[in-house]
Amino acid sequence: MSELSYAAANIPGDGSHAMLYRKIAWRILPILLVCYIVAYIDRVNVGFAKLQMMGDLKFSDGVYGFGAGIFFLGYFLFEVPSNIILHKAGARVWICRVLVTWGIISGSTALVHSPWQFYTVRFLLGVAEAGFFPGMILYLTYWFPSHRRADKVAILLAGSAISGIIGGPVSGYILHYLGGALGAAGWQWLFVLEAIPAVILGFVVLSTFDDRIVNATWLSDQEKAAVAAEIEEEAGVKTKHTILSVFTSSRVWLMGAIYFGIEMGSYAVGFWLPTIIRQTGVKDAFDIGLLTALPYSVALVCMILAGRHSDKTRERRWHVVVPSMVAAAGFLVCTQAGSNTMIAMAGLTMAVAGVVTAIPMFWALPTSFLGGTAAAAGIALVNCTGNLGGFFSPTIIGALKTYTGTLNSGLFLVAGCMLASSILILALVPSKLVNR
């Protein structure tokens, strides 16, 4: 028996393993969660800034939509190399670099005056943030086997819901109460103040992260061996890819296509939710911010419950399909709201709860079969391909709104994309491949 196996064998049964993984979760998840909250706020706070900056800068909905979406072109182009560098250089240094650079660039959005300046800053923000989310997913694979990971990913991605609960009221408050302070507009204060936490968190990560289990001084040798043995055992049943083969894998591209549809819905919510509420007659920015907290509060509960149920049953496909269908129905309800705020909020609650729940449930699919050294490239490729939906969603919706004067046609489109992703999962993803 090897030293690793011997040490692992001296850890008692699954109850002690559960305690061990809880210990690990409490050590790393709070930092990752706060980082993701800040990342999501900095990514989509332009949706709140839009309430004022479009009037100040004379931007059309088409200009706004393209600027919001071009973030994801930078993200797409640099995500795979960024994630490979993270895998080679270590999470601690690279995630610090990501946080600090995106904080600086996000804050500089306050200085834009023309469409091309807006496009440039948003593109550079995508370049800076590239690799952050898949890097976090990859980082979790170093610490948790797949059957213990879905609820951890759900907790991590609860950051998108928590960012809505916190970020909406905070953004609304900044727009309402700080406009004109020191001669700056409310939307300029919004970008500056919400960028500062990212820079601070970069140095927190640098001083507290451990790149791998072997570096964790807060775990005993037996605990390290137990986690390593379980992850190595799981690695034996995963598909091994070279980095080159990842780009020719039909399964990887299928996952990217599925994620594309889900992200079309996600960023319809992220970039247009305040506008949908405003169209019903709610004019005050702070009131809009408070209302956005409701859908995200419901989404947070749904996401955590779905993650726990998925891990308990080890069922993955339907835990993505059902939320996606609920989101599609929610977008359709929004098209019928008109000036009725209650109907709009009901539809938005369904849409937000659906997409926010579907995203972490989705990530249990590719991480169930991707393994080996190319997992970093595979996860990044799926994420950046899917995140092109973050470019097309606001861009197309903005163009359609400029042309038609309404968001309805764009909402019909994203509802169709959510349904298409559900059909692809049921038709082409075998349950035996992902239900682990």
Side-chain angles (χ1 to χ4, degrees), residues 173-365:
Y173 180 90
I174 293 171
L175 291 175
H176 184 93
Y177 291 103
L178 293 186
L182 301 178
W187 62 270
Q188 292 175 309
W189 279 113
L190 176 69
F191 286 120
V192 171
L193 293 178
E194 293 185 351
I196 293 172
V199 178
I200 296 173
L201 279 169
F203 294 102
V204 172
V205 167
L206 187 65
S207 62
T208 60
F209 259 33
D210 296 298
D211 288 327
R212 300 277 185 156
I213 295 170
V214 69
N215 304 123
T217 57
W218 43 275
L219 290 177
S220 68
D221 290 341
Q222 286 186 338
E223 289 172 330
K224 293 178 187 178
V227 175
E230 193 163 358
I231 291 175
E232 287 177 10
E233 179 182 1
E234 176 187 84
V237 299
K238 290 184 176 181
T239 303
K240 299 298 189 295
H241 295 279
T242 64
I243 291 178
L244 179 61
S245 70
V246 163
F247 291 89
T248 59
S249 169
S250 59
R251 287 178 179 174
V252 171
W253 287 108
L254 172 62
M255 292 294 119
I258 292 168
Y259 195 46
F260 177 90
I262 296 173
E263 288 290 73
M264 285 287 289
S266 175
Y267 287 105
V269 167
F271 291 124
W272 295 97
L273 187 151
T275 301
I276 293 172
I277 296 176
R278 190 177 199 175
Q279 285 187 164
T280 67
V282 183
K283 300 300 182 184
D284 184 80
F286 187 48
D287 291 339
I288 293 172
L290 291 175
L291 285 172
T292 61
L294 174 61
Y296 283 105
S297 297
V298 174
L300 178 61
V301 176
C302 293
M303 177 196 299
I304 293 174
L305 292 177
R308 290 178 177 174
H309 189 263
S310 178
D311 273 357
K312 181 179 180 180
T313 60
R314 300 199 182 188
E315 199 290 321
R316 308 303 181 189
R317 298 193 311 161
W318 284 101
H319 285 81
V320 186
V321 169
V322 171
S324 297
M325 290 181 170
V326 170
F331 286 121
L332 295 178
V333 170
C334 288
T335 65
Q336 305 304 308
S339 60
N340 191 312
T341 304
M342 291 294 290
I343 294 177
M345 290 304 299
L348 286 171
T349 299
M350 293 172 64
V352 174
V355 295
V356 166
T357 302
I359 289 172
M361 297 304 99
F362 164 81
W363 281 107
L365 303 182

Side-chain angles (χ1 to χ4, degrees), residues 75-95:
Y75 202 101
F76 175 82
L77 292 173
F78 289 89
E79 183 164 4
V80 172
S82 179
N83 215 37
I84 292 173
I85 293 172
L86 181 147
H87 184 64
K88 300 292 185 182
R92 188 174 63 91
V93 172
W94 195 245
I95 291 180

